[in-house]
Amino acid sequence: MSDRPHPASPAASDRHKPPAPGPTRTTGPTPRVSVSPAPGAQFPPPRRPADLPSTHTTLICVALPGLAISTEQGQLTGRGLEGFYRAGRRVLSRCQVRVAGREPLPVQARMTSADSARFLGTVRTSPHVGPDPDVLVERIRHADGTERITLHSAAVRPLRLPVEVALGTDLADLGAIAAGGPGPELPASVHDSGLRWSSPLGNASVTADPPPADALASAGLLRWELVMPPGGSASVELRVHPDRAGPVRAVGRAATSPLAPARAMGDDHRAQHLMRTSIEDLQALLLRDPAHPADTHLAAGAPWRCGLSPADALAAARMTLPLGTRLAAGTLRTLARTQLQSSGPQSGMIPGPRRDAGTHLPPSCTGTEATLLFPVLLAEARRWGLSEVETEEFLPAAERCLTWLRNTVGDALYLCDPQPGGPQRCETQAHAHRAALLGADLLDTCGRPGGAALRHWAQQLRAAFREDFWIDDLGGGRPAAARAPDGRPVPHLGAAAAHLLDTGLLGGGELASGLLDKVQTEQLARLLGGPAMDSGWGLRGLGAKEAGYNPFGHRGGAVRTQETAVAVAGLAAAGYEKQAASLLRGTLAAAEAFGHRLPEMYAGEQRTDGSAPVPHPAACRPAATAAAAGVMLLTTLAGIRPDAPAGTVTLRPVRGAPLGEIVLTGLRIAGAPFSVRVSRLGLAMVEEAADGLQLGV
């Protein structure tokens, strides 16, 4: 939940309060442009919000627009976030099973896929049978609003068991639940083969198969008498849905999913599990633009941010380019429709809400990040095989983004964030520099003017940045996190500096120039790989020795999965494989502890022998950027740099082979399957590729 939007007015800024209605809608509201204060204005301290309901102990089944959130007990009690959701509304909050008058004793709960969970409980039907239970209660719960309850008998005699399911709901909005005010449970009425609830907010019903023998509306109770022979089973299936609506039709379960079903195999079994789970989570977070159903994009994450977050959607689409370009195309097309085209200083910007930046800096503007990411994603998607027709379609929007960049910078060198009068952030300059170089390359190859001016500005930015943003010290120096409006450097070291290593892909498998020179890059690699930044589980958001460090600070010390992946890829590309391998292994160890479903962030506590990564109680899990980071981490090992228009692909594998041999199959380049093997010696070999695709040097 870290990148939650901020209100447009800084005076109304509430750093941790979840937005409404953004996180409760499957498509999210049209983002607002971040409005900045006048130069010299002071940012007021944020108000203290109420605590959010905990998510780190819950099992979250996702198939947007559907969610099912449960504790490991299996029973839905209506407390906290528990319940079935559709489009951000809780359509069922309580679903409690009793067998022979007793609640099953919970013995196991686990996710079986991104959209389903399995709960096991036991019941002793008689106190005279000894300590062994003779009935196993299995519950399979799906995000689409279905639950199957199966009783398995181990008794030596036939059983006739009364089964009761107590149901209830408040039809509350997820935002209200997060704020601690869901409201009372609604009265039920008997409806069809189940129960129904109504309120001004909407309607919901539960139907059962087989129909119950008895339905008590006043108690919200359905009853059956199930008969089982020795060793037999009996089942009841519940279907939860808004009134007169069927089960959720999840975008990610369609046959036309934009993501290729890639696989990772090799010496380290964790790679296989991480790739599979990451793709499952990405599928579960897919959304379709209701007005343009052919266009899909990723929601930011569950449960807090189930709508469109432009910067996250673009970043995740970029990290998943090895799975094909269709998600990139849908994301670009969706966001091009939101681009501001009226006259004024924000013309050409892709709007986005404010984002908290931690204790040292005021909130940043995700619209700035999205606007700079748009031309980068287009340029790189073209290298991965986006068609020339689609490239031409998106080119006008990319040109407007680049025009906004040049107009906003004006006669200055640096891009303020937020504008005007905000600080000059280190990562914003990195994003702007990358957008200028990749944008110039895109304009040149498409025969459009403006490339030369962008390159000239980028060259000037590089020369000045290496002086203005570098702080010399006895340890070898460090990049400044930002420059204040008066020019003073903000000296703290954080994970945002990793974006300086993410320079972007040009033609022929070459990477764009970076803002740092070789000596500065080497020093940054040393810092990112040092104990202050590398927690052993991934890259801390803020160095452990910095003032204000908080291992749970979502911008102040917690490990952010996306930035860790950016650091791994950037370090590997720059040749600092030791540091990259350490961060990679730490993240894979964390992924294993989290069941291979990486959260967007987790605590930056130092790893020790026998320890485990500490979850962040408010993190989204799954999250689009975290799931996409899983794909990026593994494909980085092969160093795949395609140039589909030129018909070539260059491989720059991590020579140290930190995971041993790994085989990546089912990737996509130029719309065709692509497979690559990296040996234990760090040598890469293409095993499957499009016809005519040549290996570059």
Side-chain angles (χ1 to χ4, degrees):
M1 180 176 175
S2 60
D3 293 348
R4 58 189 68 81
H6 279 254
S9 169
S13 177
D14 191 349
R15 235 172 36 175
H16 296 282
K17 184 177 180 180
T24 66
R25 296 168 59 101
T26 56
T27 57
T30 300
R32 295 173 296 176
V33 175
S34 177
V35 179
S36 305
Q42 297 296 313
F43 290 89
R47 295 194 303 269
R48 180 180 177 83
D51 288 337
L52 291 168
S54 171
T55 60
H56 67 283
T57 57
T58 59
L59 283 74
I60 303 178
C61 305
V62 185
L64 292 181
L67 294 173
I69 304 178
S70 322
T71 70
E72 292 185 346
Q73 302 301 307
Q75 299 276 42
L76 298 180
T77 65
R79 292 191 290 266
L81 291 171
E82 293 177 46
F84 286 92
Y85 294 79
R86 185 166 183 177
R89 189 165 303 285
R90 184 156 63 181
V91 290
L92 189 71
S93 59
R94 191 162 56 87
C95 182
Q96 295 171 286
V97 175
R98 288 189 291 270
V99 178
R102 293 188 292 276
E103 291 195 15
L105 177 70
V107 294
Q108 189 185 70
R110 66 182 183 90
M111 299 292 300
T112 55
S113 65
D115 67 340
S116 63
R118 179 176 185 255
F119 304 90
L120 292 180
T122 60
V123 174
R124 287 195 303 156
T125 60
S126 170
H128 306 297
V129 299
D132 301 333
D134 53 358
V135 174
L136 178 69
V137 181
E138 179 186 49
R139 303 173 71 171
I140 306 294
R141 186 169 295 153
H142 298 273
D144 67 359
T146 60
E147 177 165 336
R148 189 168 188 84
I149 304 165
T150 303
L151 275 61
H152 303 277
S153 173
V156 296
R157 56 185 174 80
L159 294 179
R160 179 183 295 272
L161 296 177
V163 175
E164 297 178 334
V165 179
L167 303 170
T169 191
D170 48 18
L171 290 176
D173 184 276
L174 179 57
I177 297 169
E185 194 170 282
L186 299 169
S189 60
V190 176
H191 173 73
D192 197 7
S193 57
L195 298 174
R196 181 173 182 266
W197 300 266
S198 298
S199 82
L201 299 174
N203 307 303
S205 61
V206 173
T207 57
D209 182 23
D214 198 6
L216 302 177
S218 59
L221 202 63
L222 304 181
R223 290 175 172 168
W224 295 261
E225 282 231 353
L226 300 182
V227 178
M228 294 181 293
S233 300
S235 296
V236 170
E237 184 169 275
L238 305 175
R239 290 186 175 270
V240 187
H241 41 76
D243 206 17
R244 290 184 291 276
V248 171
R249 297 183 63 185
V251 176
R253 294 294 176 263
T256 57
S257 170
L259 299 169
R263 297 180 63 194
M265 298 167 288
D267 293 338
D268 194 323
H269 71 279
R270 297 174 301 179
Q272 176 181 353
H273 296 307
L274 179 59
M275 180 69 84
R276 183 185 69 247
T277 305
S278 294
I279 294 176
E280 284 184 358
D281 284 346
L282 291 166
Q283 298 272 20
L285 290 169
L286 282 171
L287 291 174
R288 181 177 286 117
D289 187 331
H292 303 271
D295 297 334
T296 55
H297 60 271
L298 288 166
W304 307 117
R305 304 168 64 221
C306 291
L308 173 62
S309 176
D312 284 0
L314 287 164
R318 182 177 176 232
M319 289 189 284
T320 56
L321 283 173
L323 304 180
T325 61
R326 290 178 55 202
L327 177 60
T331 304
L332 290 168
R333 193 175 288 113
T334 299
L335 290 178
R337 289 191 285 267
T338 74
Q339 189 176 38
L340 302 176
Q341 298 188 40
S342 59
S343 60
Q346 294 172 334
S347 178
M349 193 177 192
I350 295 172
R354 293 285 184 87
R355 175 168 62 198
D356 188 4
T359 58
H360 295 281
L361 291 168
S364 63
C365 176
T366 61
T368 299
E369 185 177 344
T371 307
L372 298 173
L373 262 172
F374 190 99
V376 169
L377 176 59
L378 177 57
E380 291 190 331
R382 180 176 176 271
R383 298 297 176 191
W384 281 90
L386 186 71
S387 71
E388 293 300 323
V389 172
E390 287 182 306
T391 301
E392 288 290 333
E393 175 190 351
F394 304 132
L395 195 56
E399 288 180 297
R400 289 191 288 270
C401 291
L402 296 169
T403 300
W404 170 87
L405 168 61
R406 293 298 294 124
N407 289 342
T408 304
V409 172
D411 295 331
L413 279 177
Y414 301 120
L415 181 62
C416 297
D417 181 16
Q419 306 87 28
Q424 299 158 359
R425 301 172 196 268
C426 168
E427 69 271 24
T428 301
Q429 313 319 309
H431 297 328
H433 182 259
R434 182 183 61 203
L437 291 182
L438 269 65
D441 185 64
L442 181 68
L443 295 176
D444 289 351
T445 55
C446 294
R448 301 293 184 98
L454 286 167
R455 285 194 185 88
H456 178 68
W457 173 74
Q459 184 178 14
Q460 291 182 307
L461 178 64
R462 277 197 303 278
F465 185 93
R466 293 170 182 178
E467 294 290 333
D468 296 341
F469 272 80
W470 192 259
I471 301 172
D472 290 315
D473 58 31
L474 295 177
R478 61 170 61 185
R483 293 202 332 153
D486 62 4
R488 291 181 294 106
V490 180
H492 69 269
L493 178 66
H499 292 282
L500 292 168
L501 302 173
D502 181 11
T503 60
L505 179 65
L506 296 174
E510 296 297 323
L511 299 180
S513 302
L515 282 174
L516 300 179
D517 61 28
K518 185 176 180 180
V519 173
Q520 292 170 335
T521 301
E522 182 177 0
Q523 172 65 3
L524 177 59
R526 188 185 68 80
L527 292 171
L528 295 181
M533 290 298 297
D534 184 352
S535 70
W537 303 113
L539 192 69
R540 291 187 177 95
L542 184 67
K545 297 180 180 179
E546 302 296 322
Y549 166 73
N550 173 4
F552 286 94
H554 67 277
R555 296 281 170 181
V559 173
R560 298 190 59 80
T561 305
Q562 176 190 354
E563 285 172 333
T564 299
V566 168
V568 170
L571 288 165
Y576 300 100
E577 295 187 355
K578 178 182 177 182
Q579 293 86 347
S582 176
L583 289 170
L584 171 64
R585 292 192 187 102
T587 309
L588 254 68
E592 185 175 34
F594 287 117
H596 306 285
R597 171 182 266 189
L598 279 164
E600 62 171 330
M601 61 179 171
Y602 42 96
E605 294 281 354
Q606 185 62 43
R607 182 180 181 180
T608 58
D609 290 342
S611 67
V614 179
H616 193 292
C620 285
R621 181 170 171 260
T625 54
V631 176
M632 184 181 185
L633 286 167
L634 296 175
T635 54
T636 290
L637 293 169
I640 307 167
R641 302 180 188 177
D643 189 349
T648 64
V649 59
T650 303
L651 301 178
R652 294 288 184 268
V654 178
R655 297 291 185 180
L659 303 185
E661 183 178 70
I662 185 168
V663 182
L664 302 172
T665 62
L667 304 176
R668 291 287 186 274
I669 295 179
F674 182 82
S675 301
V676 60
R677 178 186 300 270
V678 180
S679 73
R680 297 181 184 93
L681 299 176
L683 302 176
M685 177 184 300
V686 174
E687 296 195 335
E688 183 181 22
D691 291 340
L693 190 66
Q694 301 295 316
L695 190 62
V697 294

